[in-house]
Amino acid sequence: MKESTVTDTQRQTSGVAAEGTDTLSRLEQEGEIAADYLEGLLDIADLDGDIDMDVEADRAAVSIISDSTSRDLQKLVGRDGEVLEALQELTRLAVNRETGDRSRLMLDIAGFRARKREELAKVGAQAAAEARSTGSPVKLDPMTPFERKVVHDAVAAAGLRSESEGEEPQRFVVVLPA
């Protein structure tokens, strides 16, 4: 009886390891499909850029970067990241078409999303400090889902709670005092 328990435990452990490997492989495959799609897009648009793939927080992450100082890639970011958001959705659809699975892939172009993440983390930390000092909820301006997620994470890191309220596209974060 003891021997079969060890075998069952080993099976469970290897099953968890295999599941983690399967998830990583699936996310890497998503990144490769996205990279191929984006390379084709860059060729069509006659833009230079290198594609970097990674897996971050259980998501495939793909970045388009450029060594040149030209502002060509800024065209793919657009005003306030609007074009970037649209390209991310198109890329997710391309991945979905190939895999049949919904993708949560994150796309960054020319470091726009990374810079935005840093700015929003500061906004979240400042709002948390304000809510803590005043004892009142702090309402922030409307944000995209990505922006709200970054703020929620920053507020949680500061030890407070936050909620999203409102309807898209006017959905916003409320930071709650302790």
Side-chain angles (χ1 to χ4, degrees):
M1 187 73 171
K2 203 173 204 174
E3 187 175 310
S4 77
T5 304
V6 170
T7 305
D8 289 345
T9 302
Q10 288 172 334
R11 272 192 219 122
Q12 289 171 351
T13 303
S14 68
V16 169
E19 184 179 303
T21 303
D22 290 347
T23 300
L24 182 61
S25 296
R26 182 181 53 80
L27 293 174
E28 288 173 343
Q29 178 189 17
E30 280 187 23
E32 289 173 15
I33 293 167
D36 289 344
Y37 175 79
L38 292 166
E39 281 179 10
L41 179 78
L42 290 173
D43 286 344
I44 291 168
D46 196 28
L47 297 172
D48 290 327
D50 295 323
I51 297 182
D52 183 35
M53 296 179 295
D54 200 2
V55 174
E56 299 172 359
D58 295 332
R59 287 182 179 207
V62 179
S63 300
I64 300 175
I65 54 178
S66 178
D67 292 334
S68 70
T69 58
S70 74
R71 299 181 45 84
D72 284 348
L73 288 183
Q74 292 305 313
K75 295 173 187 173
L76 297 179
V77 173
R79 189 182 54 143
D80 295 327
E82 290 174 341
V83 177
L84 170 60
E85 289 291 333
L87 287 174
Q88 177 175 276
E89 286 307 311
L90 288 172
T91 305
R92 286 177 174 177
L93 287 172
V95 170
N96 176 266
R97 186 185 68 224
E98 292 289 322
T99 65
D101 295 325
R102 180 179 170 272
S103 174
R104 295 176 52 231
L105 174 129
M106 290 297 292
L107 175 63
D108 191 7
I109 299 174
F112 175 83
R113 204 175 288 273
R115 287 188 303 277
K116 190 78 167 173
R117 184 178 284 126
E118 286 178 25
E119 293 169 15
L120 290 166
K122 289 177 187 173
V123 167
Q126 290 169 347
E130 182 181 338
R132 184 176 283 122
S133 69
T134 64
S136 299
V138 176
K139 292 182 180 181
L140 300 175
D141 291 334
M143 297 179 184
T144 67
F146 162 76
E147 294 168 335
R148 289 192 310 269
K149 168 82 168 92
V150 173
V151 171
H152 286 306
D153 290 347
V155 170
L160 293 182
R161 223 171 43 85
S162 59
E163 298 174 347
S164 291
E165 293 183 5
E167 297 294 323
E168 295 293 350
Q170 296 300 311
R171 200 155 167 81
F172 59 94
V173 174
V174 178
V175 179
L176 304 169

